Amino acid sequence: MLHNQLGRCEDQRSENTNVLYLKLLSYLTLPVNFSRRLWQYGQTVLGVIFRHPVPGTSIIPILPDGRIVLIRRSDNGRWALPGGIIDWGEDIPTAVRRELMEETGLELVKLRRLVGVYSAPDRDPRLHSICIVVEADVAGIMKAEDTLEVTEIQAFPLDSLPPGELSHDHKQQLQDYMLGLTTLA
């Protein structure tokens, strides 16, 4: 009888320990779920407040030797064109100059041409944005100023762009560029 009571006590203690572990695990996943949920609420609030797409730019930076500079994004690990959101009170050439410096350390020498305007609501997985893509002559030393967004910078010959999927709709933007198109999409 005593043996049965001790066995039940040990089973109860084991069950209590398992419940404790499960509660602890649920508390540890709370910050991750909270962050995800907070971002979802943030996107919704931004959509309600603005109800307009966010304007941004992508730059096709061309070095003097003809290579194209791409960045590797820290959020998804994919290669991408440098660029970003146009700040309040900023014109497109100023945004191009700023984003180019922040993400590559390169200086804008000359804007060559408009490659296209891309506005599909799903082109950016984070929010609805309109992207103005320009080709630009650049110079300087490649060094990311914004290491939170960029993990790597590399220059590629046109015929040796990195394999695999590019971020956002940048593959389409580069294809349009290489075909000499000016695209409204």
Side-chain angles (χ1 to χ4, degrees), residues 3-172:
H3 183 358
N4 284 342
Q5 286 178 339
L6 286 175
R8 275 187 254 145
C9 284
E10 284 181 21
D11 288 344
Q12 185 65 35
R13 204 173 339 162
S14 177
E15 189 177 310
N16 288 343
T17 303
N18 288 341
V19 168
L20 222 94
Y21 284 137
L22 289 173
K23 283 184 178 180
L24 180 61
L25 186 61
S26 71
Y27 287 123
L28 292 175
T29 58
L30 193 62
V32 172
N33 292 334
F34 177 75
S35 295
R36 256 191 225 125
R37 181 57 88 197
L38 185 61
W39 174 241
Q40 289 170 342
Y41 286 134
Q43 285 179 307
T44 302
V45 168
L46 287 173
V48 169
I49 291 171
F50 296 111
R51 299 304 297 166
H52 301 285
V54 175
T57 183
S58 286
I59 304 113
I60 300 176
I62 309 297
L63 291 170
D65 65 4
R67 292 179 299 156
I68 292 179
V69 177
L70 297 178
I71 60 168
R72 188 180 295 274
R73 295 177 57 94
S74 61
D75 61 352
N76 62 17
R78 294 180 181 166
W79 287 104
L81 295 167
I85 294 173
I86 299 168
D87 288 343
W88 184 263
E90 194 173 48
D91 61 17
I92 293 167
T94 303
V96 166
R97 182 174 282 105
R98 177 183 51 76
E99 287 291 343
L100 191 61
M101 181 57 72
E102 287 176 6
E103 296 188 356
T104 68
L106 297 170
E107 294 181 30
L108 176 65
V109 174
K110 175 185 174 187
L111 287 173
R112 280 193 192 177
R113 73 179 185 94
L114 173 67
V115 174
V117 178
Y118 299 81
S119 62
D122 62 347
R123 63 159 299 279
D124 185 327
R126 300 166 300 175
L127 63 139
H128 184 185
S129 66
I130 296 174
C131 186
I132 297 116
V133 182
V134 296
E135 175 189 19
D137 289 332
V138 299
I141 297 175
M142 293 186 292
K143 181 182 183 297
E145 305 275 327
D146 186 351
T147 55
L148 291 175
E149 285 186 53
V150 178
T151 61
E152 186 178 354
I153 306 166
Q154 193 170 333
F156 297 90
L158 268 174
D159 60 354
S160 298
L161 293 175
E165 202 172 324
L166 296 177
S167 190
H168 299 57
D169 58 349
H170 294 183
K171 182 178 182 177
Q172 183 64 52

